């Protein structure tokens, strides 16, 4: 079996994958340092207990990793860390160890799971992230920035300040944060809105939009119009077979996907108008499944 | 030697290439049909006369070609045409025959000539075209639309109608046509402009901008700001090592390139801010040189 490891800020998800089946999966708490040591030791113990032969280990990390080397990963407290060197202590040399950025890994997972060799994955969460897969291989780019479409300058109307330093980035309006920001922006114009601003989340906006709340609908239209226009631009740059939409906000389901599709078609060049826009299917298992597929990916 | 063939609407350019040197190059008139037959016959005769051993033949065509098969190429009057089948009549089976879209071929030419394995080429002409090369291989995309950034919807200010059916496409403001369109737009606000509107071309605008004409400068600022912002978006999609700027408008030289760089840096995410923006170096020989490199490209 292949092992897929999804490294997060507070927990690490581990999966044992056979073909397209996640046979076992569990989470490990990772407080107090030595993250990779703890995880690898745990994986070896679990494999021994269940009598599993490990064919390879793939790892998704929340940041930049190059040839299994992490220069800096502040959100998990790692610096100048060689994953492969650490893995040598736990696995024999013939076991492939591969790692990549978590957004890319999720894209690879969706591609393999859906049998779509070349796709572009968009994650709508606190920010807007993305990753690209071509012929079942992750495309990294010269600065490991392929797919970072959250920082396309797309909204010159509000031109909100982004955390990256730019203004008008896609994620200032189309992420979960962007959706709540837009709700505040228009709050005073819609006194009758049912949105509960004392507990404002993107989900609160989506839920109210589904019930027909005018403010919520206005906000989601603007968020998805910007996203649809951005994806139409992405399409003439990279021309994927499909877009996958994942991340927390995407849990809104077809309601949101249909809005994105609507605006995508409005702004897409005829040659790329029929690119599929699909909900990501793996949910929070995209990380472990995608990571397990790194093993297969080759160079 | 490798042969590079650049098929155009009225003439076909032919080059015999040894390493990075174009040893011979010439143009053939191609009126009256049987384009490929005439060109291949000519190439064989030329090679025989000069005692040249041909290693392979690469062809750039102005449109879509797939596995050496042209479905439709209205500007050169070809339909359902098999380039490889035609080539068989003139070349022995061991000679590689390869073809691709001319924008992609030009991108490949610049990449190889400049030793930059992964680049994105933008051609500023009547429209705005582009092509992408990754590890010295052309990236085609699912609908052969990679690099068609002329149809990114980028200018919501004027929202000009584009020939493609959309509004606000990059090429409505940043192509040669776009530059003259913007000059007309602002003409009435700049009565003292030296631009000769009876012979209005993009070159006329650029020449006047170089002399300090305020209208011309306003127009070029707007054209290059839109282009710079578009390229900043392209950068977070595909993250190339360099952008090459070619096509007729790019003959304006560093004056224009510097403006594009300025706006690119204004809109580019920090991770991709240092991507090089370079003038294309091969001029109208990018087609033949790039085509000759198709032979090396492999699958």
């Amino acid at each position: 079996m292949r092992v897929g490891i999804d490294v997060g800020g507070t927990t690490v998800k581990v999966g044992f994958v056979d073909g397209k089946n996640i046979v076992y999966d569990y989470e490990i708490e990772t407080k107090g340092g030595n993250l990779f040591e703890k995880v690898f030791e745990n994986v070896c113990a679990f494999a021994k207990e269940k009598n599993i032969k490990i064919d390879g280990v793939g790892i998704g990390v929340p940041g930049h990793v190059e040839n299994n080397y992490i220069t800096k990963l502040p959100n998990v407290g790692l610096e100048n860390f060689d994953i492969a060197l650490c893995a040598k202590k736990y696995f024999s040399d013939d076991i492939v160890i591969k790692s990549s950025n978590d957004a890319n890994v999720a894209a690879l997972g969706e591609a393999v799971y859906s049998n779509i060799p070349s796709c572009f994955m968009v994650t709508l969460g606190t920010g807007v992230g993305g990753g690209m897969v071509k012929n079942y291989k992750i495309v990294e780019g010269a600065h490991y920035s392929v797919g970072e479409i959250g920082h396309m300058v797309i909204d010159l109307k509000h031109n909100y300040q982004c955390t990256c330093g730019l203004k008008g980035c896609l994620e200032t309006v189309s992420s979960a944060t962007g959706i709540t920001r837009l709700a505040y922006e228009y709050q005073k114009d819609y006194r009758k809105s049912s949105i509960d601003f004392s507990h404002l989340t993107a989900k609160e906006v989506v839920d109210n939009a589904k019930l027909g709340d005018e403010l919520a609908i206005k906000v989601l239209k603007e968020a998805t119009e910007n996203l649809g226009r951005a994806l139409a631009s992405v399409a003439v740059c990279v021309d994927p077979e499909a877009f996958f939409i994942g991340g927390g906000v995407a849990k809104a389901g077809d309601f949101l996907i249909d809005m994105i599709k609507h605006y995508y078609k409005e702004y897409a060049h005829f040659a790329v108008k029929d690119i599929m826009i699909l909900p990501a299917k793996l949910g929070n298992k995209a990380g472990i499944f995608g990571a397990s597929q790194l093993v297969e990916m080759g160079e």
Side-chain angles (χ1 to χ4, degrees), chain A:
Chain A
M1 280 188 227
R2 292 185 296 271
V3 180
I5 299 173
D6 181 12
V7 177
T10 50
T11 64
V12 171
K13 296 192 188 80
V14 176
F16 286 81
V17 178
D18 186 15
K20 286 194 181 181
N21 300 316
I22 300 171
V23 184
Y24 304 104
D25 70 292
Y26 55 87
E27 293 194 24
I28 310 175
E29 294 275 336
T30 51
K31 284 176 193 151
N34 296 328
L35 183 147
F36 277 99
E37 284 84 351
K38 282 179 195 163
V39 172
F40 288 156
E41 196 176 309
N42 180 298
V43 165
C44 290
F46 189 89
K48 196 174 175 188
E49 185 195 321
K50 301 283 184 186
N51 202 21
I52 296 166
K53 186 186 165 295
I54 294 175
D55 300 318
V57 180
I59 304 139
V61 302
H64 174 58
V65 56
E66 198 172 338
N67 294 323
N68 287 325
Y69 192 85
I70 291 167
T71 307
K72 204 167 182 177
L73 212 59
N75 38 357
V76 289
L78 282 171
E79 229 178 283
N80 300 320
F81 186 82
D82 189 331
I83 300 174
L85 197 67
C86 177
K88 263 183 187 289
K89 290 185 258 173
Y90 302 92
F91 304 103
S92 61
D93 282 350
D94 59 328
I95 292 180
V96 180
I97 309 288
K98 288 256 175 96
S99 56
S100 190
N101 175 285
D102 54 3
N104 294 334
V105 161
L108 177 64
E110 297 289 346
V112 172
Y113 192 78
S114 295
N115 299 312
I116 297 178
S118 298
C119 70
F120 195 101
M121 171 143 185
V122 181
T123 50
L124 303 176
T126 316
V128 174
M132 188 159 80
V133 168
K134 179 114 188 156
N135 297 326
Y136 295 122
K137 289 182 187 178
I138 289 168
V139 184
E140 299 270 20
H143 310 82
Y144 292 80
S145 295
V146 167
E148 292 301 336
I149 62 166
H151 301 288
M152 291 171 78
V153 175
I154 201 94
D155 176 46
L156 299 179
K157 181 182 161 197
H158 297 294
N159 219 27
Y160 292 126
Q161 181 68 50
C162 183
T163 52
C164 77
L166 294 170
K167 284 181 178 177
C169 289
L170 177 62
E171 72 175 37
T172 65
V173 286
S174 298
S175 63
T177 326
I179 287 169
T180 56
R181 182 184 284 126
L182 286 172
Y184 280 123
E185 176 85 43
Y186 296 122
Q187 182 179 12
K188 65 178 186 307
D189 306 331
Y190 292 82
R191 304 274 168 157
K192 291 181 188 162
S193 171
S194 309
I195 293 177
D196 177 2
F197 278 87
S198 65
H199 297 91
L200 185 60
T201 59
K203 187 174 181 307
E204 172 71 15
V205 177
V206 170
D207 289 346
N208 276 281
K210 286 178 177 171
L211 296 171
D213 184 85
E214 284 183 28
L215 169 55
I217 289 170
K218 183 182 171 71
V219 165
L220 283 195
K221 276 189 176 175
E222 200 162 325
T224 54
E225 179 165 10
N226 279 295
L227 180 58
R229 187 156 55 82
L231 295 187
S233 283
V234 174
V236 284
C237 286
V238 302
D239 188 12
E241 289 170 75
F243 287 105
F244 284 104
I245 314 289
V249 179
K251 286 180 187 157
D254 284 347
F255 182 77
L256 194 85
I257 298 282
D258 287 346
M259 289 179 83
I260 299 169
K261 277 185 189 169
H262 169 82
Y263 288 114
Y264 175 78
K265 282 189 188 289
E266 188 172 324
Y267 290 109
H269 185 56
F270 60 83
V272 292
K273 216 180 260 282
D274 294 332
I275 292 177
M276 294 176 285
I277 298 183
L278 305 169
K281 292 180 183 69
L282 290 161
N284 61 5
K285 301 210 171 166
I288 49 175
F289 184 73
S292 77
Q293 299 306 311
L294 284 173
V295 175
E296 292 290 284
M297 199 173 72
E299 291 312 316

